[in-house]
């Protein structure tokens, strides 16, 4: 063969390239960009902005302590702002959630059946601002904190403080409806603040 050295280098190159690609491929554990298998009804939402240390997790598994913007979050994903970290989550209906430091938000429910969508977000702890779109015939969005559920009856901006149970809701604009298992069912309007009673049986 006229140039055996060329063939030898070509064989070495073909063997090395797959190893190089595997070593530098992005880790799938860096975020939650992979949708749940065998569940086509589950939707994704976007981690639209990150400032400082932000942790992403699913169940008991921490995916990353250094989340970056534009990661897709699916049902079961949890966002935690650490120390002075802040995060913003954007939903497909235009609703936006902004987490202040030391706060945790879980995507409890992100489903779609046909043109019907159902969304439940839970503020597990901390303080967050919610820009919520009003509930429509083909969509349902609710926010949970503790044993309370909030739904927007008009496009609304609210602040939920859940540093300590049972928490409080301040309405910056719009109107929301708040319910608790004890039987509390109340509309809260712009400029009002609802501080929940720690003894729900008294409502």
């Amino acid at each position: 063969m006229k140039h055996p050295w060329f063939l030898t280098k070509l064989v070495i190159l073909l063997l090395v390239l797959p190893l190089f690609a595997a070593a530098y491929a992005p880790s799938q554990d860096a975020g939650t960009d992979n949708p749940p298998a065998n569940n086509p009804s589950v939707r994704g939402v976007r981690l639209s902005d990150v400032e400082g240390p932000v942790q992403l997790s699913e169940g008991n598994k921490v995916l990353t302590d250094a989340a970056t913007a534009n990661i897709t979050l699916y049902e079961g994903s949890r966002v935690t702002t650490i120390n002075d970290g802040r995060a913003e989550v954007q939903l497909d209906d235009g609703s936006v959630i902004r987490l202040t430091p030391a706060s945790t938000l879980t995507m409890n429910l992100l489903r779609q059946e046909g043109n019907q969508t159902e969304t439940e977000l839970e503020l597990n702890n901390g303080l967050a601002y919610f820009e919520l779109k009003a509930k429509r015939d083909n969509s349902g969005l609710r926010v949970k904190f503790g044993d309370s559920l909030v739904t927007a009856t008009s496009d609304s901006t609210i602040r939920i403080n859940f540093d300590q149970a049972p928490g409080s809701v301040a309405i910056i604009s719009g109107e929301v409806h708040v319910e608790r298992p004890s039987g509390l069912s109340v509309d809260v309007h712009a400029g009002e603040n609802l501080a929940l009673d720690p003894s729900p049986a008294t409502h």
Side-chain angles (χ1 to χ4, degrees), residues 26-40:
S27 170
Q28 293 302 324
D29 290 335
T32 57
D33 277 325
N34 293 323
N38 303 320
N39 199 344

Side-chain angles (χ1 to χ4, degrees), residues 107-124:
M107 318 304 139
N108 282 351
L109 192 64
L110 293 171
R111 297 293 175 97
Q112 181 165 1
E113 297 289 347
N115 65 347
Q116 301 289 320
T117 62
E118 188 174 4
T119 307
E120 181 180 285
L121 309 177
E122 180 171 3
L123 182 64
N124 303 96

Side-chain angles (χ1 to χ4, degrees), residues 21-125:
Y24 287 90
S27 170
Q28 293 302 324
D29 290 335
T32 57
D33 277 325
N34 293 323
N38 303 320
N39 199 344
S41 65
V42 172
R43 297 163 28 238
V45 298
R46 189 166 69 96
L47 183 64
S48 51
D49 193 29
V50 169
E51 180 182 324
V54 174
Q55 182 187 89
L56 295 184
S57 55
E58 287 181 351
N60 295 322
K61 180 182 179 183
V62 174
L63 302 176
T64 179
D65 285 324
T68 56
N70 294 318
I71 288 176
T72 304
L73 307 172
Y74 293 96
E75 188 174 298
S77 301
R78 186 166 59 250
V79 180
T80 301
T81 51
I82 304 170
N83 299 326
D84 59 346
R86 299 174 186 272
E88 179 183 277
V89 176
Q90 189 173 71
L91 277 62
D92 44 11
D93 69 349
S95 296
V96 177
I97 300 90
R98 295 183 175 88
L99 296 177
T100 67
S103 302
T104 300
L105 181 76
T106 300
M107 318 304 139
N108 282 351
L109 192 64
L110 293 171
R111 297 293 175 97
Q112 181 165 1
E113 297 289 347
N115 65 347
Q116 301 289 320
T117 62
E118 188 174 4
T119 307
E120 181 180 285
L121 309 177
E122 180 171 3
L123 182 64
N124 303 96
N125 61 270

